[in-house]
Amino acid sequence: MATQFFSASEIGELESWPAEVGRDELVQYFQLAVEDVEWVHRTTRGAPNKLGLGLQLAALPWLGFVPADVRAAPTPAVARVATQLGVEPGALTHYGRREQTRSDHLRLVAQRLGWHTAEDDDRAGWKTLREFLVDRAIEHDVPSVLFRLATEHLASQDVRIVRPGVVSLMEEIASAREVAEREVFARIEPLLTERRLTDMGSVLEVAPEMPVSRLTWLHRGATSYSPSAIRAEVDKVLFLRGLGVDTLDLSMIPEARRRRLAGLGRRLRNQALRGRRAESKYPILLSTVVECYVEVLDELVQMFDQALSGIENRAKAKVKEKLAARGRESVDKLELLEEIVAIAADTAIPAEQVGGLLRDRVGLERMRSARRHPKDRPYQDHGHLDTVEDSFTYLRQFAPLVIRHLEFAGSLDAQPLLAAVELLRGLYAKGTRHVPDTAPASFVPSRWRGYLDRARAEADPVRYRHFWELCTLLGLRDCLRSGDVWVPGSRRYANPVAFLMPADKWAVSKLEYCALVGAAPSAEHALAEAEEQLETALLAVEPLLAAGEGPVRLSEQGQLSINRLTAEQLPDQVEAVKLGLVELLPRIPITELLIEVDRWTGFSDKLVHASGKTARDNRLRQQLYAAILAQACNFGTTAMAEACGLTYDILAWTGQWYLREETLREANAAVVNHHHTLPMAQAWGGGTMSSSDGQRFPMKGKSLTARALSRYFVDEGISTYTHVSDQHSTYGTKIIPVSDREAVYVLDEILGNATTLPISEHATDTAGQTLTVFSLFKLTGLVLSPRIRDLGGITLHRLGSKRDLLGRFPNAGQLLTGTIDTKLISEQWNEMLRVAASLKYGHATASLVVGKLHAASRRSAVAQALVEYGAIQRTLYSLRYLADEAYRRRITRQLNKGESLHSLRRDLFFAHEGSVRRRHLDQQTDQALCLSLVVNAIITWNTVYLELALALAEYVRAHGPVPPDVLAHLSPALMEHVNQYGTYTFPIEKVLARQGLRPLRAPDAMIPVLD
């Protein structure tokens, strides 16, 4: 196992002083106590030695070690320590010419601070480092992570050992990784029976009936939900069960290591796996097949859902056509009825002659054709299920396979449905045509009961069987969505209880969580707080409505009317300043822009090899940049290889091993974090507010993620759901189906925010909010500020009596027509907080839980309580929105920032007409994250150079700073000066060798004079 996982340059950085020291660090570490100053003066003589010793005294607690070249300490740190010691900072240049002096001083500093050097092998703390590293290596095994953990361990309060040299520590880590590998193998060795060893070998073999190995076959995800694709997934399930994977327990291996081992198994070639030692090979294979089984189960249930939904959606379209035709027919029937009524109601015509006149004048055939046969009378659902039944033959091509080979469990309410599924499984197995009279049907919704009743009344067992089977299958699909039914062994369709914090852990954590998010521990306090806020909000709205005019008013009928916001009046100088700044920005190829931003942020260091290797050189960085742009600009690997001079194999290998969701998210976070520190970014916002919106891209080829949406696509497409901060950076990216409501996913990236942005408020459009989402935002300590279309048409809710409310607020009180079930909220408050805490602490993704809460046809008590509490929060938001025009404008301004980045993404994602060609969700996610990474790089580069241009204009023209209200309306979402076309070269050495920033394009082109 390699002992050097850092490059020579990285080792040099790790053994040197950081490039900068922050103000907080200066105060915390470089402020010597009076006793320390006296100790330095007593311990050594001469200004150079005193200053060097003082810097070591400050550096050891800060870094955990002291760099060999003490004289290279950051200038602010040197100046601060020199002032305290009463010496000149320049004296440091004469310090430590003898290495012995520096080492003696380090020993003295360590002794004073209670630290020990690495040479003190008899110290228990140093001896336990190896045990610590082995324990961590069993969990993580990523060398760079182990290095960081080892550094933190050595500097911890109960250890305090001076970090040894980087090379020595790398050797210790390599040794720990070898021990951990043997330990993991020892844990799984009892599982490696002779039969299992043979089975694992067969996974790597190429079966006669398939062109690839079984392992490659298992990793190939489906791209459609056709019956043949479903059969292929069932074959995978049966193959893996044949290996005993469904009962294989790998809980003895930490989850993080299992995921990493499965990731290696996904990427390693079969030859590489065969050639590995047993200690490495079998943990990888076992983890891989177990992960494959979970993924295949999830994918199979999803395909079953989509296949049924496809049939149902096509039936809905046909029913709409039938209803339209029926509407046209009704016009003719109304005319016929008028003719009949005219004759029948004419008292001048004897009663005995009415029949004859109708037959003669109206026509017997015409009346017969207008008469509907009793069998043709519409059902409650207008014949929807009847139309679904037309596809019964198609449904039978996949439904029996899924029912036969999947196991289902469910809640108490779902037991009748589960009994029906079990009966249906038996009918499929025996080939029985008729449903027993005792078959359960209580789960059938009322809109479909008429089908079963009519089929039974007409003694038609075939149609009864068809309708009962359809009700069972569609009911099973709906319950899988809502979580009332789950699939053992699945991850996405698991028991919903598994997504929540364990009850015992929650009981201990409740008060801590409430303090963290500012939530009331009891429902009584929460409702009292809401009532007080409601009172305040109504006080603000009442005078606006009482005035009877203005942008917010009540009509004569009592309907709320809200004027659209007028265009925001920008300061006169904004456009002139913007044009002047853009003229100053240097023109730059996108390749060099990436290199330059990487130099500032180090984002490429986050793109770690899947095996954990971190050593890199400029050649690898060139490959990384090319692979990122190949996806961000939608070229694909082949076209990028031709454009940049690298081979296809190299780029494909780089993308496979380095560009993964977890590494790309870390790289994006590095860029966003750097951008957040830029002074210019603060002019746009403090990073506390964000917005999210979906951007739709057409799809070429089949994909389980793609959906048809005629408003946007000729065929099908996907949606990239992005979260944008008020500083214009994109901190969250997710691929979602275009047909799904965005509100399901709005919390994911906020709760999973890995950046330093302190997001506390979030804006969306109408699709990004529901009552459940309003409730969960409040319970997780966040504020939801959507822009709801037709706000006057939604129901607002009150907490008190209507009479009391109208007595105090005669105008605003009219708006609150709904009531709140406070008793239900009180009963379910503890569970509501538990659900929110489970999301906040990462026990489950918010989209998974919110999706199930939304999908339930009959809401559980906690789901309904969340809706009730969300109604209160939406009412409070609505009243604030009505009363505060500045609030409305702030929401609109934030949403516009997201729209501007949509345009930037469109400009970048230009190849192949902007159509997505990657067919699997993980590939589409990687591509979307690459696009976000390049967008963030452009935003960061523009921000730096806009700031430089402002500084140049202020310096040359001496007009003082640009007013903050002008700066706030400038945007870094600019592409005019960036060239993303042409041949792609990566002059890394040239760009890295550049000193300082690039010269501005037009030194004599100044920002216009600001009055």
Side-chain angles (χ1 to χ4, degrees):
M1 187 172 289
T3 60
Q4 184 157 328
F5 45 83
F6 290 131
S7 66
S9 61
E10 289 170 328
I11 292 173
E13 291 177 3
L14 289 169
E15 293 184 335
S16 304
W17 294 91
E20 296 179 356
V21 55
R23 179 176 177 81
D24 293 340
E25 292 165 328
L26 282 174
V27 173
Q28 182 176 355
Y29 297 106
F30 290 90
Q31 183 66 44
L32 301 180
V34 175
E35 298 82 2
D36 291 334
V37 172
E38 294 174 353
W39 176 80
V40 169
H41 285 303
R42 289 196 312 268
T43 302
T44 189
R45 298 177 181 178
N49 285 344
K50 290 181 178 181
L51 185 52
L53 182 62
L55 284 169
Q56 290 205 43
L57 189 64
L60 182 56
W62 180 33
L63 302 175
F65 72 102
V66 177
D69 188 3
V70 179
R71 291 172 295 185
T75 302
V78 175
R80 191 176 186 89
V81 173
T83 300
Q84 296 173 75
L85 295 175
V87 300
E88 290 294 326
L92 188 64
T93 58
H94 304 292
Y95 172 71
R97 291 178 177 174
R98 292 175 58 247
E99 183 180 346
Q100 186 65 37
T101 301
R102 298 195 304 272
S103 59
D104 288 345
H105 282 180
L106 176 57
R107 192 171 290 107
L108 289 170
V109 166
Q111 184 178 357
R112 176 167 179 79
L113 295 176
W115 287 55
H116 305 275
T117 58
E119 289 77 17
D120 299 334
D121 284 330
D122 57 332
R123 295 297 303 176
W126 173 244
K127 289 181 178 180
T128 58
L129 174 63
R130 294 182 178 88
E131 297 177 5
F132 172 83
L133 283 174
V134 170
D135 290 342
R136 300 292 78 74
I138 290 174
E139 297 172 357
H140 299 284
D141 195 40
V142 178
S144 58
V145 173
L146 292 175
F147 185 89
R148 175 177 56 80
L149 293 174
T151 302
E152 294 172 355
H153 172 76
L154 291 171
S156 61
Q157 189 71 25
D158 56 341
V159 178
R160 291 199 170 186
I161 293 179
V162 179
R163 195 201 75 187
V166 174
V167 174
S168 300
L169 196 51
M170 284 195 298
E171 291 173 353
E172 289 292 339
I173 290 171
S175 175
R177 293 179 70 204
E178 290 180 353
V179 175
E181 187 178 86
R182 292 195 295 270
E183 171 63 22
V184 169
F185 181 73
R187 293 182 183 184
I188 68 162
E189 195 168 13
L191 301 175
L192 297 176
T193 62
E194 185 175 347
R195 166 69 185 277
R196 182 156 279 138
L197 290 173
T198 303
D199 289 342
M200 291 301 102
S202 70
V203 171
L204 299 176
E205 294 174 358
V206 178
E209 67 274 10
M210 60 179 61
V212 295
S213 71
R214 288 188 174 91
L215 185 60
T216 303
W217 167 66
L218 289 172
H219 284 316
R220 284 186 175 175
T223 58
S224 72
Y225 48 82
S226 65
S228 60
I230 291 177
R231 283 195 295 271
E233 291 301 297
V234 170
D235 289 342
K236 292 178 185 178
V237 170
L238 296 179
F239 174 75
L240 289 168
R241 285 178 180 168
L243 300 180
V245 174
D246 54 325
T247 59
L248 187 58
D249 181 14
L250 294 183
S251 58
M252 74 290 293
I253 305 177
E255 184 180 355
R257 190 178 184 93
R258 289 203 308 269
R259 286 200 304 267
R260 195 187 73 80
L261 291 173
L264 286 174
R266 184 184 296 276
R267 291 170 176 82
L268 285 169
R269 296 178 181 274
N270 288 348
Q271 296 87 336
L273 274 171
R274 287 196 190 97
R276 286 194 168 228
R277 294 175 293 112
E279 292 86 348
S280 171
K281 176 169 64 176
Y282 291 113
I284 290 176
L285 283 175
L286 290 177
S287 299
T288 300
V289 294
V290 167
E291 183 65 18
C292 277
Y293 183 67
V294 175
E295 291 176 354
V296 169
L297 279 181
D298 283 351
E299 196 161 63
L300 180 57
V301 178
Q302 179 187 353
M303 294 164 71
F304 172 70
D305 183 318
Q306 289 186 239
L308 279 176
S309 299
I311 293 173
E312 191 179 29
N313 291 337
R314 288 190 291 273
K316 284 181 180 177
K318 291 179 181 178
V319 168
K320 285 183 179 179
E321 293 176 2
K322 290 179 180 178
L323 288 175
R326 191 178 298 166
R328 291 190 293 270
E329 291 174 2
S330 64
V331 175
D332 298 334
K333 292 181 179 180
L334 283 174
E335 293 177 356
L336 175 62
L337 179 61
E338 288 178 0
E339 293 181 36
I340 293 174
V341 169
I343 295 174
D346 189 351
T347 56
I349 302 175
E352 62 273 12
Q353 298 180 16
V354 170
L357 287 173
L358 287 175
R359 294 186 184 95
D360 293 339
R361 294 185 185 179
V362 178
L364 187 59
E365 287 302 319
R366 190 179 170 198
M367 288 190 291
R368 282 176 175 171
S369 63
R371 181 174 179 271
R372 182 179 294 159
H373 192 276
K375 289 185 177 182
D376 296 331
R377 290 172 186 167
Y379 293 91
Q380 187 176 342
D381 67 346
H382 302 290
H384 176 216
L385 191 65
D386 198 20
T387 309
V388 172
E389 197 257 348
D390 293 341
S391 302
F392 199 80
T393 303
Y394 175 81
L395 181 143
R396 278 289 183 86
Q397 295 179 44
F398 65 86
L401 280 171
V402 175
I403 298 300
R404 187 182 309 142
H405 297 297
L406 283 185
E407 295 296 325
F408 302 99
S411 63
L412 185 63
D413 292 340
Q415 292 308 308
L417 173 65
L418 290 176
V421 172
E422 194 60 35
L423 175 60
L424 184 60
R425 181 182 286 121
L427 296 178
Y428 284 148
K430 298 175 183 177
T432 306
R433 292 172 178 250
H434 299 162
V435 180
D437 294 338
T438 57
S442 60
F443 59 88
V444 178
S446 58
R447 67 182 183 279
W448 291 340
R449 292 270 173 86
Y451 291 95
L452 298 180
D453 294 341
R454 186 179 297 184
R456 191 181 293 278
E458 294 172 356
D460 190 341
V462 174
R463 283 180 65 79
Y464 187 90
R465 163 65 186 271
H466 285 191
F467 290 135
W468 179 86
E469 184 173 334
L470 286 173
C471 291
T472 302
L473 293 174
L474 291 170
L476 176 62
R477 179 205 62 183
D478 293 341
C479 285
L480 284 168
R481 288 179 177 178
S482 66
D484 288 334
V485 171
W486 54 86
V487 178
S490 171
R491 180 182 295 124
R492 195 186 316 163
Y493 300 95
N495 185 348
V497 175
F499 301 145
L500 302 180
M501 292 179 66
D504 54 346
K505 185 177 179 181
W506 168 239
V508 175
S509 307
K510 178 179 177 179
L511 292 179
E512 178 187 348
Y513 175 76
C514 291
L516 173 68
V517 301
S522 68
E524 290 72 19
H525 287 91
L527 292 171
E529 178 189 21
E531 191 166 9
E532 184 179 337
Q533 293 173 344
L534 191 60
E535 182 92 7
T536 304
L538 288 168
L539 282 171
V541 174
E542 178 66 23
L544 296 177
L545 299 180
E549 55 186 16
V552 178
R553 59 192 180 279
L554 287 174
S555 67
E556 293 180 358
Q557 293 76 28
Q559 297 295 317
L560 181 64
S561 178
I562 310 168
N563 289 355
R564 294 187 63 179
L565 285 174
T566 58
E568 189 169 5
Q569 294 297 317
L570 301 182
D572 296 337
Q573 306 100 322
V574 169
E575 194 61 29
V577 170
K578 177 183 175 181
L579 293 174
L581 288 174
V582 171
E583 286 298 319
L584 290 173
L585 296 182
R587 291 195 61 81
I588 183 172
I590 189 88
T591 52
E592 295 187 26
L593 184 148
L594 276 185
I595 300 168
E596 200 162 333
V597 172
D598 190 20
R599 183 177 67 178
W600 303 335
T601 65
F603 72 77
S604 66
D605 293 335
K606 307 298 181 182
L607 303 173
V608 181
H609 192 279
S611 67
K613 299 174 185 175
T614 58
R616 60 193 64 226
D617 54 21
N618 285 344
R619 183 176 58 181
L620 175 59
R621 294 185 193 279
Q622 179 184 9
Q623 295 164 201
L624 289 172
Y625 301 145
I628 290 168
L629 286 176
Q631 298 197 44
C633 297
N634 204 30
F635 292 141
T637 306
T638 302
M640 176 54 84
E642 295 172 353
C644 71
L646 296 172
T647 65
Y648 172 88
D649 291 342
I650 285 291
L651 287 182
W653 175 85
T654 303
Q656 182 180 25
W657 285 96
Y658 287 90
L659 304 186
R660 310 183 308 281
E661 181 176 354
E662 60 268 26
T663 61
L664 287 167
R665 289 193 183 279
E666 289 186 16
N668 268 295
V671 179
V672 172
N673 289 343
H674 178 80
H675 182 262
H676 180 52
T677 65
L678 299 175
M680 184 76 179
Q682 304 302 317
W684 298 316
T688 59
M689 189 176 186
S690 65
S691 59
S692 57
D693 192 24
Q695 185 172 13
R696 297 163 185 85
F697 293 91
M699 183 81 204
K700 282 189 177 178
K702 292 291 184 181
S703 172
L704 286 180
T705 319
R707 302 287 190 276
L709 203 62
S710 58
R711 294 199 307 272
Y712 300 101
F713 315 118
V714 175
D715 295 313
E716 292 183 326
I718 63 172
S719 183
T720 302
Y721 195 53
T722 50
H723 285 59
V724 175
S725 76
D726 54 12
Q727 297 176 336
H728 297 272
S729 56
T730 303
Y731 70 90
T733 304
K734 194 179 188 74
I735 296 294
I736 67 174
V738 293
S739 56
D740 284 9
R741 182 157 188 172
E742 293 173 356
V744 172
Y745 305 93
V746 69
L747 269 167
D748 278 355
E749 301 299 325
I750 304 174
L751 296 179
N753 176 23
T755 71
T756 56
L757 296 173
I759 303 297
S760 59
E761 183 178 4
H762 190 73
T764 70
D765 57 15
T766 304
Q769 58 81 37
T770 63
L771 294 180
T772 301
V773 171
F774 262 106
S775 184
L776 290 174
F777 259 83
K778 175 65 176 177
L779 294 174
T780 51
L782 300 166
V783 176
L784 179 62
S785 298
R787 182 178 61 191
I788 302 178
R789 183 177 58 252
D790 191 22
L791 183 62
I794 67 173
T795 301
L796 303 185
H797 295 73
R798 62 180 181 272
L799 284 169
S801 68
K802 182 177 181 181
R803 177 182 297 179
D804 176 63
L805 194 65
L806 291 175
R808 289 182 295 127
F809 305 103
N811 295 287
Q814 298 180 47
L815 302 178
L816 279 59
T817 57
T819 59
I820 299 294
D821 188 347
T822 55
K823 181 181 178 182
L824 179 62
I825 294 175
S826 298
E827 292 172 350
Q828 298 297 323
W829 184 252
N830 185 66
E831 284 303 298
M832 291 163 61
L833 285 173
R834 184 183 172 199
V835 170
S838 301
L839 304 185
K840 185 82 171 181
Y841 290 146
H843 287 260
T845 57
S847 58
L848 193 59
V849 174
V850 174
K852 291 186 181 300
L853 291 172
H854 284 173
S857 56
R858 290 176 294 185
R859 292 193 182 102
S860 64
V862 66
Q864 184 58 42
L866 286 168
V867 169
E868 295 289 329
Y869 190 62
I872 302 174
Q873 299 307 317
R874 189 174 69 175
T875 299
L876 291 171
Y877 147 78
S878 300
L879 294 174
R880 180 186 175 191
Y881 188 88
L882 295 174
D884 190 348
E885 181 177 338
Y887 180 52
R888 299 200 294 273
R889 291 195 180 279
R890 186 157 62 88
I891 293 171
T892 300
R893 194 180 304 124
Q894 177 58 38
L895 291 172
N896 288 342
K897 291 179 182 180
E899 292 291 342
S900 68
L901 291 187
H902 283 349
S903 299
L904 188 54
R905 289 188 190 91
R906 285 285 183 205
D907 290 342
L908 279 170
F909 201 74
F910 64 90
H912 298 96
E913 299 177 332
S915 296
V916 176
R917 297 177 300 150
R918 291 175 164 252
R919 304 179 71 181
H920 301 288
L921 177 60
D922 55 345
Q923 298 173 340
Q924 294 163 357
T925 299
D926 292 347
Q927 183 168 28
L929 287 169
C930 284
L931 180 56
S932 288
L933 180 57
V934 176
V935 167
N936 279 327
I938 292 172
I939 293 297
T940 300
W941 192 93
N942 286 344
T943 301
V944 169
Y945 278 89
L946 284 171
E947 192 173 318
L948 178 65
L950 280 169
L952 177 67
E954 291 164 9
Y955 176 77
V956 176
R957 297 296 296 274
H959 288 298
V962 176
D965 61 334
V966 175
L967 287 178
H969 289 94
L970 299 177
S971 171
L974 306 169
M975 273 289 288
E976 297 91 334
H977 55 290
V978 181
N979 178 19
Q980 74 265 41
Y981 306 107
T983 301
Y984 286 75
T985 58
F986 299 87
I988 296 177
E989 288 80 4
K990 172 187 171 184
V991 176
L992 294 181
R994 181 188 298 278
Q995 297 297 319
L997 298 175
R998 297 166 182 266
L1000 297 177
R1001 248 193 301 166
D1004 55 343
M1006 302 308 154
I1007 295 180
V1009 176
L1010 302 179
D1011 296 330

